[in-house]
Amino acid sequence: MKTILLQTDIEWANPVANVRQADAIIDRYPDGDLFILPEMFSTGFCTQPQGIAEPADCDTVAWMKRKAAERQCAIAGSIAIEQDGRFYNRFHFVHPDGQVDCYDKHHLFTYGGEHKQFTPGTERVIVRHDGVRILLQICYDLRFPVFARNRKDYDMILYVASWPIPRIEVWKTLLRARAIENQCFVAAVNRTGHDPYCQYNGGSAVIDPYGKTLAACADGTACEAVADIDLTVLEAFREKFPVLDDADPFVRS
């Protein structure tokens, strides 16, 4: 599964411009199977979503569905959504047939006030694409390993983020930890550039179950990274070294 990370510089509160940018990037990779965009890729990370968040049936989601069908690929990324008077940081995973799987961010970023306006999700969401079982996660979720714990129910984690420069080494360290401890691939996309509150320098990467980086975007620049996800490598590793069989039998309360 050819996976492309889009480490974009997001224009604040401008879905038209940000979608146009993503559309052009996707067209440069005609053989891509999965394209991953950052957290709130159409607007930038907004903790005051009034007037910025988009409706559930917004043009951004319509574009994701149209583009996925046109290119016969999957497109993934989170969008600030307003629905029935509530706001959600909603991860959309759009399949080539137009089906959309959604995950609402569970761990809202209280330090930045996200919890004051957004409604948290309650369920983990795992999707399947090209035979790969994929866990959907958003930014701050990365700090909570129990929520991401592999119950032998996924092969890969997607993290989409707006993770600022002062804590970027935490991002890079925890991504590798999640791949190693869950014996899975991790594909993680962080934005670059700045918004009214923070600066970002990326750190997007695909990491294999051994903790090795398969592909990475250069820090501090808008760019892409491409990696092939090969399940035969993962399956052979799990069979040879069955770490997950020895996991402690605790669950999130």
Side-chain angles (χ1 to χ4, degrees):
M1 183 176 70
K2 182 159 287 188
T3 301
I4 294 93
L5 313 182
L6 281 68
Q7 181 172 283
T8 56
D9 184 350
I10 300 168
E11 186 171 328
W12 181 250
N14 192 339
V16 173
N18 294 316
V19 165
R20 185 186 304 119
Q21 173 183 230
D23 190 87
I25 294 171
I26 290 172
D27 281 345
R28 297 205 295 265
Y29 297 91
D31 57 347
D33 299 308
L34 170 61
F35 294 87
I36 311 170
L37 290 149
E39 180 181 23
M40 295 192 190
F41 71 88
S42 64
T43 59
F45 180 67
C46 55
T47 56
Q48 299 296 324
Q50 293 83 357
I52 296 177
E54 302 179 77
D57 60 350
C58 62
D59 289 343
T60 299
V61 174
W63 165 77
M64 294 177 79
K65 295 168 71 173
R66 185 172 61 252
K67 196 69 175 178
E70 171 191 320
R71 294 293 308 280
Q72 283 300 288
C73 66
I75 302 175
S78 98
I79 303 170
I81 292 292
E82 182 176 6
Q83 184 176 21
D84 299 328
R86 293 176 178 266
F87 296 103
Y88 301 89
N89 187 344
R90 182 165 291 169
F91 197 141
H92 295 71
F93 189 102
V94 181
H95 298 265
D97 64 0
Q99 176 188 342
V100 182
D101 288 309
C102 293
Y103 159 66
D104 291 333
K105 186 178 183 180
H106 178 63
H107 296 98
L108 298 177
F109 189 45
T110 56
Y111 180 80
E114 187 180 16
H115 66 297
K116 296 178 180 178
Q117 298 291 337
F118 286 83
T119 299
T122 58
E123 302 295 329
R124 292 196 338 164
V125 175
I126 295 170
V127 304
R128 185 182 289 267
H129 178 62
D130 279 0
V132 182
R133 300 170 302 166
I134 304 169
L135 175 68
L136 308 183
Q137 301 273 272
I138 303 175
C139 202
Y140 195 44
D141 286 331
L142 178 61
R143 287 183 176 266
F144 302 94
V146 174
F147 189 63
R149 183 190 180 94
N150 196 339
R151 306 166 190 170
K152 296 186 178 180
D153 53 357
Y154 67 78
D155 310 303
M156 181 178 182
I157 309 176
L158 300 191
Y159 285 102
V160 299
S162 291
W163 198 288
I165 289 174
R167 296 182 292 278
I168 197 64
E169 291 305 317
V170 175
W171 161 261
K172 293 179 179 180
T173 300
L174 292 182
L175 290 177
R176 184 163 281 105
R178 295 295 90 83
I180 294 169
E181 71 194 8
N182 291 299
Q183 206 169 35
C184 69
F185 292 98
V186 166
V189 181
N190 186 32
R191 66 162 294 179
T192 188
H194 63 88
D195 61 23
Y197 310 102
C198 294
Q199 289 189 318
Y200 309 88
N201 68 341
S204 305
V206 178
I207 301 165
D208 76 5
Y210 293 90
K212 297 177 182 177
T213 300
L214 298 180
C217 294
D219 287 349
T221 184
C223 59
E224 300 84 54
V226 182
D228 283 314
I229 302 301
D230 186 350
L231 279 188
T232 62
V233 172
L234 176 61
E235 290 164 356
F237 182 35
R238 286 177 173 176
E239 183 176 354
K240 178 182 178 181
F241 190 57
V243 172
L244 299 180
D245 289 348
D246 297 323
D248 297 307
F250 64 87
V251 296
R252 182 179 63 88
S253 61

